[in-house]
Amino acid sequence: MKALLFRDLQLAMRAGGGFGLGLSFFLIVTVLVPFGVGPESALLSRIAAGVLWIGALLACLLSLDRIFALDWEDGSLDLLATSPLPLEAVCVAKALVHWLTTGLPLTITAPLLGLLLSLPDGGFLWVFISLAVGTPALSFIGMFGAALTVGIKRGGLLLSLLVLPLYVPTLIFGAEIARRGVEGLSVSVPLMLLSGITLGTLALLPFVSALVLRINLR
Amino acid sequence: MLGVDSLTVTRGGVPVLEGVSFDVAAGEALILRGPNGSGKTTLLRTVAGLQPALEGQVNAPEESIAYAAHSDGLKANLTVSENLSFWAEIFGGGDVSSAVERFDLKSLSDRPAHSLSAGQKRRLGLARLLVTGRPIWVLDEPTVSLDAFAVAMFADVVKAHLADGGVALIATHIDLGLDAKTFDVGPFKAKPRPTSGFDEGFL
């Protein structure tokens, strides 16, 4: 599993690997929002946390169809399925790489981009924490969607349609944490619910995805 | 070592071959023959465990099959040796340098896979078999895009593998010069079956 993790990270970093794709999309969205809604900082600071979360979610969505599609096209997925590595571990590795190349950089840059949206002082920490807790769920749910649509030509649209509704609870609780953090309210309830979603997807989805992959490989 | 017992294999839910039985002992190879579309690939995928059989069973020791198909599973941005070391690590550490040597890839080992020719890629894909360290090779058209010299090189590797007590099940249209039985899938073509409307082919 370490070998697969390492190889996929290496592939992501090399030319054409799409490492910066999500990050630059996130940057573009947050830079454009102030131009769209106007420079009024009171308005911006009210919507900043929500915009950061939506931007991060869409940036995650952008790179989902690469999770399994590339390995499917060149036959690696067949070979991985016949290897000693269980498909469940393959799924975990794939989701983890997606998080390391998308979710983690987004989480780290979100507070910086919060400056552009005049995020209130109390918000920086909670935007960071909510994204750190929530983005693993986005990667694992996305990996499940990618497993469902692997082998479908131009499956990207179907993938987005399948995954978006599943993303909604994560978005609601994630943005709620950030909003309550900004207003200085207690965040414990949404934080617990978001952690619950993340832990649930981490525990459950590798098994479901491996099952789905086995059916899709037939 | 590898036994197949009255196997019925399906493609897209439709049976393509039925009642296929054969046994391959250690040190033997079996060549599958049959026209295009006769179900050789489907049979090989079923033997490799990539899809379930409708009826019958495949008897082989667990985790013993190495499968190689039309696509080689190469990553274009990784070099020849990186590609091989990855598979060696996944399959538990085969000898990469000897695999490189035996398929004459040494001078190419630092080249990225996308800069190789089709035949060189194929050789790299076949070299993967050596690093898996698995005894049963299930090969689907292994000689596509290989030149005569490379085919002979591949045949030598298969012979050495058989001499080590390995097994090879190969679907091919050309003569590899192996001392092996052939198995024609033609007579096992499945007869059309009545479908009950909503079957598992839909799922």
Side-chain angles (χ1 to χ4, degrees):
Chain A
M1 190 174 151
K2 225 168 59 196
L4 181 62
L5 206 69
F6 182 68
R7 181 199 71 163
D8 279 3
L9 278 176
Q10 206 176 9
L11 283 172
M13 299 296 180
R14 289 202 183 168
F19 174 68
L21 188 70
L23 200 58
S24 45
F25 178 81
F26 188 46
L27 185 75
I28 290 167
V29 168
T30 42
V31 168
L32 288 183
V33 164
F35 291 116
V37 299
E40 206 184 318
S41 61
L43 177 64
L44 274 177
S45 68
R46 213 163 65 235
I47 60 169
V51 167
L52 286 172
W53 251 93
I54 292 173
L57 187 143
L58 292 177
C60 259
L61 203 61
L62 206 59
S63 48
L64 286 184
D65 60 340
R66 300 173 65 98
I67 293 183
F68 289 116
L70 298 179
D71 276 0
W72 162 270
E73 279 161 16
D74 64 20
S76 307
L77 204 55
D78 279 347
L79 302 177
L80 283 172
T82 55
S83 78
L85 196 64
L87 266 182
E88 287 80 4
V90 173
C91 291
V92 172
K94 291 281 174 189
L96 215 55
V97 169
H98 182 263
W99 183 72
L100 287 172
T101 54
T102 317
L104 185 64
L106 289 180
T107 307
I108 292 169
T109 47
L112 296 176
L113 292 175
L115 285 173
L116 292 175
L117 298 171
S118 50
L119 188 70
D121 282 346
F124 290 95
L125 179 66
W126 290 111
V127 163
F128 178 78
I129 291 177
S130 64
L131 282 172
V133 175
T135 44
L138 297 183
S139 288
F140 272 78
I141 294 171
M143 179 270 296
F144 169 60
L148 276 173
T149 53
V150 73
I152 300 176
K153 291 263 179 301
R154 304 273 173 274
L157 175 65
L158 185 60
L159 173 61
S160 316
L161 287 175
L162 283 172
V163 161
L164 267 180
L166 299 175
Y167 271 1
V168 168
T170 317
L171 174 66
I172 289 175
F173 294 122
E176 182 71 3
I177 294 172
R179 192 186 63 80
R180 292 178 79 100
V182 167
E183 290 174 9
L185 302 169
S186 152
V187 295
S188 59
V189 174
L191 187 59
M192 277 191 277
L193 284 166
L194 185 65
S195 313
I197 290 173
T198 301
L199 293 174
T201 55
L202 254 63
L204 202 65
L205 288 182
F207 296 99
V208 186
S209 309
L211 197 72
V212 167
L213 273 185
R214 279 194 194 97
I215 293 172
N216 271 339
L217 281 178
R218 278 179 195 174
Chain B
M1 195 171 201
L2 174 66
V4 165
D5 192 18
S6 56
L7 199 67
T8 300
V9 298
T10 59
R11 186 176 169 82
V14 181
V16 285
L17 294 172
E18 60 186 356
V20 180
S21 299
F22 56 76
D23 270 300
V24 197
E28 281 181 14
L30 187 68
I31 310 286
L32 289 183
R33 300 248 187 230
N36 292 144
S38 57
K40 299 187 295 296
T41 297
T42 311
L43 177 60
L44 291 177
R45 286 181 70 86
T46 309
V47 170
L50 285 167
Q51 57 183 65
L54 188 63
E55 292 153 3
Q57 52 189 347
V58 177
N59 302 310
E62 217 161 284
E63 308 259 304
S64 61
I65 295 178
Y67 173 72
H70 304 281
S71 40
D72 296 311
L74 302 176
K75 288 295 169 195
N77 280 337
L78 298 183
T79 65
V80 169
S81 53
E82 280 170 339
N83 266 302
L84 275 182
S85 330
F86 166 68
W87 289 114
E89 217 172 315
I90 288 283
F91 279 89
D95 185 358
V96 174
S97 58
S98 94
V100 166
E101 203 86 45
R102 284 169 75 184
F103 276 97
D104 195 18
L105 292 163
K106 196 162 175 82
S107 55
L108 304 169
S109 62
D110 288 326
R111 289 255 297 269
H114 65 75
S115 70
L116 301 183
S117 77
Q120 289 167 335
K121 278 183 191 155
R122 194 82 260 227
R123 263 150 59 197
L124 176 53
L126 293 170
R128 185 185 55 84
L129 291 169
L130 289 171
V131 302
T132 60
R134 291 199 162 175
I136 302 176
W137 289 0
V138 175
L139 311 178
D140 195 358
E141 305 276 6
T143 54
V144 171
S145 67
L146 290 183
D147 59 19
F149 178 70
V151 168
M153 186 155 59
F154 168 64
D156 285 340
V157 169
V158 173
K159 277 177 199 156
H161 177 64
L162 298 179
D164 278 348
V167 165
L169 179 63
I170 308 173
T172 179
H173 295 290
I174 68 157
D175 184 19
L176 285 171
L178 294 174
D179 179 25
K181 286 179 288 187
T182 60
F183 183 87
D184 189 358
V185 297
F188 298 95
K189 190 172 165 37
K191 290 158 200 72
R193 299 181 180 197
T195 49
S196 52
F198 217 60
D199 63 357
E200 74 279 348
F202 174 76
L203 299 171

